[in-house]
Amino acid sequence: MVALDAETVRVLIRHRERQEELSATAGTRWQDSGYVFTTADGEPLRLDYLTGRFRRHPDDLHL
């Protein structure tokens, strides 16, 4: 169990809503991977993608 503040909960709820929208748009292409952060088709993000993005644009990642 992890304690989350109200703002983090709000952000995660909004993120889940956006994923539900992506799922509806992707239709049968959507892969219900169970991951929180995915591609537009529901597949898990590749670690090398995340590492490269962070190295190129560290200020763009709002965690």
Side-chain angles (χ1 to χ4, degrees):
M1 183 178 282
V2 177
L4 301 174
D5 62 272
E7 177 64 12
T8 301
V9 171
R10 185 190 68 74
V11 169
L12 287 172
I13 288 171
R14 180 62 190 124
H15 179 70
R16 181 176 56 197
E17 291 169 348
R18 283 192 303 268
Q19 275 192 317
E20 290 170 356
E21 293 167 5
L22 285 173
S23 172
T25 301
T28 59
R29 294 187 332 266
W30 181 259
Q31 298 195 20
D32 193 10
S33 64
Y35 286 89
V36 175
F37 300 102
T38 65
T39 66
D41 291 338
E43 294 183 28
L45 294 174
R46 295 185 343 259
L47 292 178
D48 59 329
Y49 166 79
L50 294 173
T51 299
R53 181 163 171 103
F54 181 74
R55 287 186 177 149
R56 285 188 305 276
H57 308 284
D59 294 335
D60 289 350
L61 299 177
H62 304 285
L63 303 175

